[in-house]
Amino acid sequence: MSTLITNIGELITNADVAGPARGAALVLDDGVVAWTGAAAGAPAADEVVDAAGRAVLPGFVDSHAHLVFAGERGAEFAARMAGQPYHAGGIAGTVAATRAAADEQLDANLRRLAAEMLAQGITTFECKSGYGLTVADEARSVALAGAVTPEVTYLGAHVVPPEYAGDIGGYVDLVRGPMLAACAPHARWVDVFCEAGAFGADEARAVLMAGQAAGLRPRIHANQLGYGPGVQVAVEVGAASADHCTYLSDADVEALAASSTVATLLPGVEFSTRQPYPDARRLVEAGVKVAIATDCNPGSCFTSSMPFCIALAVRDMHLTTSEAIWAATAGGARALRRDDVGHLGIGARADVIMLEAPSHAYLAYRPGVPQIAAVWRAGELAVDHLAGSA
Amino acid sequence: MSTLITNIGELITNADVAGPARGAALVLDDGVVAWTGAAAGAPAADEVVDAAGRAVLPGFVDSHAHLVFAGERGAEFAARMAGQPYHAGGIAGTVAATRAAADEQLDANLRRLAAEMLAQGITTFECKSGYGLTVADEARSVALAGAVTPEVTYLGAHVVPPEYAGDIGGYVDLVRGPMLAACAPHARWVDVFCEAGAFGADEARAVLMAGQAAGLRPRIHANQLGYGPGVQVAVEVGAASADHCTYLSDADVEALAASSTVATLLPGVEFSTRQPYPDARRLVEAGVKVAIATDCNPGSCFTSSMPFCIALAVRDMHLTTSEAIWAATAGGARALRRDDVGHLGIGARADVIMLEAPSHAYLAYRPGVPQIAAVWRAGELAVDHLAGSA
């Protein structure tokens, strides 16, 4: 079935050839974008949707999320807001809850969060393991994730679990040995939390190179809580993305700019941990490709709202509204090495957001306000608030 | 018809006697709260709603909003985010658009925003005039507002309109003379924007005292853009609320603490204008009663989301999550001198929010995520997302 979306107030395609910004139309056919152009010249379609001047943009691509877990950390959040600093150790509580949970419980939580994301316009998302940290619990985590998204990341190297306290070498051997062997068939990516309190540069290299040897592609948590080697390791191993990038040296920025590694910024984390925001302006001006992602997880950032992250990126990371939308769509796609999503060029997957607003800028201009009017995923209408708005 | 809401995970009543926090129930009957207590002892009711462990709290009371206007200022917002400072002059563009608009257009915009607020849990809201600034345009503004809320505020003294440029005295005479006479029958409150670029202390006193003489109660925009006399004028005239309070001297804090004037904080404004946040902790610790409101308006803050404002109040104004909820409910009610809303004590109006979360803290823990599961207004179910969540 084909769908013509017409009378679009502002169409953002992210495609190389800029389409008409106003009075535009878009045809979705057989799950892909079949046509874009001026509404007056639009071809016929099985179904016509009148955008009535609303803005239309590509579905959001969330390239960093941790959705396989049990339990919650509301009390830790409240304590942090009352002045306690964030540190990687809080993850241990979620690990214990996740290990204790039945598959069905993990699956239900994961699908609930995935549905929340879709309702807020996220049509592609990455999902990491990393709260199991045993061979069996990591294997079931990546298997569960694989049932909801193709972008599955094996993050056995999230933190060193309690039973390996004092034996990081022993744990890294597990992660790059039997745990990797159990997880690699279900995953596309391998990731490491390279940070003081988690894993250093040598451990990160060892895990990422073992993952590559098993057919996985590398990405990395880098430079979140302080300066460190994460970004350099990312560039060295050809990671698709270095995520967080909150504390960057001049050499880090230069290395990113000279590489194809995307800097994936996660402003919800800085919001929820009251840390300083990364300097997105500096990165953009240095020529680094920037993505924005939610980092949805129960500890450092429990938002699943890309619109909220876009508002923070504009207000606190000093991206323009256009740059923020690009980072949340095409930037995320590049961080996942995908060229079929994150844009609305001809042939792209028909993942489309219609806003209850005339311009993309409203996502920052009206922070916190639900403004997703409709979402199509692969051409199918998946979220529809249009009926009630006539 | 009576409704029993049972199996509540966390019940916040704001009533003097603390109800049981967990395993609680609530009965709504004839539009008011009829009973609260342990679920096991709940009386029968016509209808039973299983909260399934969700949190229940009073409907939000938004004591500061500007919803009667036409046009939008997305371009001004984008320019501000690109580095231009906010100043009161931007209001003039909205004044021109509002004057040019038909009644039907103003009414449709107002009702759209009121519906947005309700969907986000706001069950009582104040609404100001102030974008008309002629006798006829202010009069129609308060009349339109009065059709959607009893909390109507006459804000003829918002800015000096272009046709009175250089003649602030002449405009103040209009505001406290024929414009007041035309508006007072439709309003409950009188307000002044007391700020450099708008009205000084003498003008503010003149307008507020004239309003009081016409039967209106005073409230005031004070100390938003810099230090100034607004808070002192508020206390002097016995204003119900001094709103913004971003720049306060020690004497201002002391004056508020010794008065019954509420400090209404509007963190969405600081977010959307990139200004420093007011020091809510200092106010609470000095004994000042604090409210949080949206200030929804097309210029300095176009959010209608109280949950977003609560998240900012916790993150950036250093309120605890409990203090922030109090400020958004009971605090707002106090700023409107209402004792029938903002709490769930016996006999209170049955304005109730059920969250898609086990605790009020989730409004800050999960910023940007739509978490309003259901809203009752005067006992009637007005927003219902429960059906889809089973």
Side-chain angles (χ1 to χ4, degrees):
Chain A
M1 196 184 81
S2 60
T3 302
L4 165 64
I5 305 174
T6 188
N7 200 12
I8 296 173
E10 179 191 60
L11 176 63
I12 295 177
T13 65
N14 290 338
D16 290 344
V17 180
R22 302 195 164 272
L26 178 71
V27 175
L28 317 180
D29 196 3
D30 201 19
V32 300
V33 176
W35 185 90
T36 60
D46 300 330
E47 176 189 54
V48 178
V49 175
D50 184 358
R54 296 182 183 88
V56 167
L57 55 154
F60 298 129
V61 179
D62 186 356
S63 59
H64 188 134
H66 305 250
L67 307 181
V68 187
F69 64 88
E72 56 92 69
R73 285 152 69 185
E76 175 187 323
F77 170 81
R80 187 163 72 233
M81 288 297 106
Q84 297 180 17
Y86 177 72
H87 54 84
I91 294 170
T94 300
V95 170
T98 302
R99 289 176 175 179
D103 289 1
E104 294 69 26
Q105 183 185 346
L106 295 177
D107 188 55
N109 194 44
L110 166 60
R111 288 177 188 270
R112 179 179 65 85
L113 292 168
E116 245 182 41
M117 285 180 155
L118 180 62
Q120 293 168 92
I122 294 172
T123 47
T124 300
F125 63 96
E126 184 251 27
C127 182
K128 303 177 193 295
S129 70
Y131 294 116
L133 309 188
T134 65
V135 172
D137 286 308
E138 286 295 298
R140 70 169 175 160
S141 295
V142 291
L144 288 166
V148 295
T149 180
E151 303 299 339
V152 177
T153 298
Y154 164 52
L155 180 59
H158 197 187
V159 290
V160 176
E163 64 273 19
Y164 278 87
D167 182 20
I168 190 170
Y171 186 64
V172 168
D173 286 345
L174 179 70
V175 168
R176 65 181 181 164
M179 192 185 280
L180 173 63
C183 291
H186 304 287
R188 183 167 182 235
W189 301 97
V190 59
D191 193 351
V192 178
F193 188 14
C194 183
E195 196 77 38
F199 298 90
D202 290 343
E203 290 94 3
R205 275 189 205 95
V207 169
L208 296 177
M209 291 174 70
Q212 285 179 292
L216 304 182
R217 303 184 68 170
R219 50 201 315 109
I220 188 167
H221 285 65
N223 303 54
Q224 175 187 355
L225 303 176
Y227 295 97
V231 163
Q232 298 295 339
V233 172
V235 172
E236 182 188 319
V237 303
S241 178
D243 295 31
H244 287 290
C245 293
T246 311
Y247 293 90
L248 297 184
S249 67
D250 289 348
D252 292 335
V253 176
E254 287 164 19
L256 286 168
S259 77
S260 66
T261 300
V262 173
T264 298
L265 308 183
L266 309 165
V269 175
E270 279 79 30
F271 186 89
S272 297
T273 59
R274 228 184 250 142
Q275 295 283 311
Y277 289 89
D279 189 346
R281 248 315 5 101
R282 176 189 183 198
L283 289 168
V284 168
E285 284 166 13
V288 177
K289 295 301 179 193
V290 169
I292 301 170
T294 65
D295 198 5
C296 183
N297 78 81
S300 59
C301 177
F302 202 9
T303 192
S304 57
S305 172
M306 191 68 89
F308 175 70
C309 295
I310 288 168
L312 292 181
V314 170
R315 198 267 184 189
D316 289 310
M317 303 191 336
H318 295 261
L319 292 183
T320 67
T321 57
S322 297
E323 288 168 343
I325 297 295
W326 191 92
T329 53
R334 185 174 295 220
L336 293 172
R337 296 292 187 255
R338 292 277 293 268
D339 57 15
D340 59 330
V341 297
H343 67 97
L344 297 176
I346 304 303
R349 203 171 80 181
D351 291 353
V352 178
I353 295 171
M354 186 184 295
L355 297 182
E356 194 57 71
S359 148
H360 72 282
Y362 275 58
L363 293 173
Y365 178 39
R366 307 205 65 204
V369 180
Q371 292 180 95
I372 305 295
V375 181
W376 287 261
R377 193 170 47 177
E380 299 293 322
L381 188 61
V383 175
D384 181 11
H385 299 297
L386 291 170
S389 68
Chain B
M1 194 184 80
S2 60
T3 303
L4 166 64
I5 305 174
T6 189
N7 200 11
I8 296 173
E10 179 191 60
L11 175 63
I12 295 177
T13 65
N14 290 337
D16 290 344
V17 180
R22 300 196 165 273
L26 178 72
V27 175
L28 317 179
D29 195 4
D30 202 18
V32 300
V33 176
W35 185 90
T36 59
D46 299 331
E47 175 188 54
V48 179
V49 175
D50 183 358
R54 296 182 182 88
V56 168
L57 56 154
F60 297 130
V61 179
D62 187 357
S63 59
H64 187 133
H66 305 250
L67 307 181
V68 186
F69 64 88
E72 56 93 70
R73 286 153 67 188
E76 176 187 322
F77 170 82
R80 187 163 71 235
M81 288 297 108
Q84 295 180 17
Y86 177 72
H87 55 86
I91 294 170
T94 300
V95 170
T98 302
R99 289 176 175 179
D103 290 0
E104 295 67 27
Q105 183 185 347
L106 295 176
D107 188 55
N109 194 43
L110 166 60
R111 288 176 187 270
R112 179 179 63 87
L113 292 168
E116 242 182 43
M117 286 181 156
L118 179 62
Q120 293 169 92
I122 294 172
T123 47
T124 299
F125 64 93
E126 184 251 25
C127 181
K128 304 177 193 294
S129 71
Y131 295 115
L133 308 187
T134 66
V135 172
D137 286 309
E138 286 296 298
R140 70 169 176 158
S141 294
V142 291
L144 288 166
V148 296
T149 180
E151 303 299 340
V152 176
T153 298
Y154 164 52
L155 180 59
H158 197 186
V159 291
V160 176
E163 64 273 20
Y164 279 89
D167 182 19
I168 188 168
Y171 186 64
V172 168
D173 286 343
L174 179 71
V175 168
R176 64 180 181 167
M179 192 186 282
L180 173 63
C183 291
H186 304 288
R188 183 168 182 235
W189 301 96
V190 58
D191 193 352
V192 178
F193 187 15
C194 183
E195 196 77 39
F199 298 90
D202 290 344
E203 290 93 4
R205 275 189 205 94
V207 170
L208 295 178
M209 291 174 70
Q212 285 178 295
L216 304 181
R217 304 183 68 171
R219 51 200 315 109
I220 188 166
H221 285 64
N223 302 57
Q224 174 187 355
L225 302 175
Y227 295 96
V231 163
Q232 298 294 338
V233 172
V235 171
E236 182 188 318
V237 304
S241 179
D243 296 31
H244 287 290
C245 291
T246 310
Y247 293 89
L248 297 184
S249 67
D250 291 347
D252 292 334
V253 176
E254 287 163 18
L256 287 168
S259 77
S260 66
T261 300
V262 173
T264 298
L265 309 182
L266 310 165
V269 175
E270 280 79 31
F271 185 89
S272 297
T273 60
R274 228 184 250 142
Q275 294 285 309
Y277 289 90
D279 189 347
R281 251 308 12 98
R282 176 190 184 197
L283 290 168
V284 168
E285 284 167 12
V288 177
K289 295 301 180 193
V290 170
I292 302 170
T294 65
D295 198 6
C296 183
N297 79 81
S300 59
C301 177
F302 202 8
T303 192
S304 58
S305 172
M306 191 68 89
F308 175 70
C309 295
I310 288 168
L312 292 180
V314 170
R315 200 268 185 188
D316 288 311
M317 303 192 335
H318 294 263
L319 293 183
T320 66
T321 56
S322 297
E323 288 168 344
I325 297 294
W326 190 93
T329 53
R334 187 173 293 221
L336 292 173
R337 296 292 188 252
R338 292 277 294 270
D339 56 15
D340 60 330
V341 297
H343 67 97
L344 297 176
I346 305 302
R349 201 170 81 181
D351 290 353
V352 179
I353 295 171
M354 186 183 294
L355 297 181
E356 194 57 71
S359 149
H360 73 281
Y362 275 57
L363 293 172
Y365 177 39
R366 306 205 66 204
V369 180
Q371 292 181 93
I372 305 295
V375 181
W376 287 260
R377 193 170 48 178
E380 298 292 322
L381 188 61
V383 175
D384 181 10
H385 298 297
L386 292 170
S389 68

